[in-house]
Amino acid sequence: MLHLRRLTIALTAAAAALTMAPAANAVSAPDTATAPSTSAVVTLRYDDSQARGWETAIAAGVASWNTNVDNVKLAKAQPGTRAEIQIVATSGWPQATIGPVRPGGRGRVELGSQAVTQGYDKTRIAAHEIGHNLGLPDTKPGPCSQLMSGSTAGTSCRNAVPNSAEQARVEAYYASGAAVRTPADRRLAVDAP
């Protein structure tokens, strides 16, 4: 019984010490006021109904962005609903409008078969062009480790994952829960070598 009483006193003293400890040294539950909330996540819907033959590459490109950024998520639009990003297959070179696209805004991705014919990877193309809609310009010339280096990385490059700098830039664009650039700032990026 004495042992139990000493344990209770020790636990009470430890709890009191933690309560009085400076905030930097205290261990506590996450602060909900500063923890990211799910309402801060921007969801952008995409429509790939006109991108036949690219479905697998688009799904992988979307998954790459959804896995690597936290405050913007891409979701496939239900048939008949409005989408912020229109993805279409074309016979030319891949190109896209440079965003960042905002909820209710418009972005366009053209997945050109000319690049595939020349040996470029479809998943890298899809992820790269979606990156433009998320606000990233080309970084040409650049290494394969930079998703936005596009065609300058060469046909052997299969990297479809944004590097940490690219991830951070997209996170910054959507940090306040919405992109800050206006639709008038958008321009077309053609990704021909």
Side-chain angles (χ1 to χ4, degrees):
M1 185 70 152
L2 183 60
H3 179 28
L4 184 57
R5 186 169 184 194
R6 284 184 187 159
L7 181 60
T8 304
I9 291 170
L11 288 174
T12 304
L18 281 176
T19 303
M20 296 175 169
N25 296 326
V27 177
S28 64
D31 181 0
T32 56
T34 58
S37 71
T38 55
S39 64
V41 174
V42 173
T43 299
L44 299 174
R45 293 168 308 236
Y46 68 92
D47 175 2
D48 64 353
S49 62
Q50 297 177 23
R52 296 196 189 276
W54 286 84
E55 295 87 354
T56 301
I58 294 167
V62 164
S64 178
W65 281 108
N66 284 345
T67 299
N68 289 289
V69 294
D70 295 323
N71 59 2
V72 62
K73 295 298 175 196
L74 302 165
K76 190 168 184 169
Q78 295 300 315
T81 62
R82 188 180 193 289
E84 286 86 7
I85 299 173
Q86 298 295 316
I87 304 175
V88 299
T90 69
S91 59
W93 269 94
Q95 55 188 339
T97 51
I98 297 183
V101 174
R102 294 183 295 166
R106 279 281 190 207
R108 183 173 173 88
V109 168
E110 296 183 10
L111 300 173
S113 62
Q114 190 172 354
V116 176
T117 301
Q118 292 193 15
Y120 293 95
D121 181 66
K122 286 177 106 173
T123 300
R124 180 172 167 83
I125 293 168
H128 173 92
E129 298 305 327
I130 291 167
H132 285 315
N133 277 200
L134 296 177
L136 299 177
D138 285 319
T139 55
K140 294 180 178 182
C144 183
S145 61
Q146 291 177 340
L147 176 60
M148 300 313 292
S149 67
S151 60
T152 62
T155 56
S156 64
C157 180
R158 302 286 185 251
N159 174 39
V161 177
N163 68 20
S164 60
E166 294 164 331
Q167 293 169 27
R169 204 161 168 191
V170 170
E171 291 278 355
Y173 287 142
Y174 293 92
S176 64
V180 295
R181 199 177 290 175
T182 63
D185 292 335
R186 291 200 184 102
R187 61 190 187 282
L188 185 66
V190 178
D191 289 305

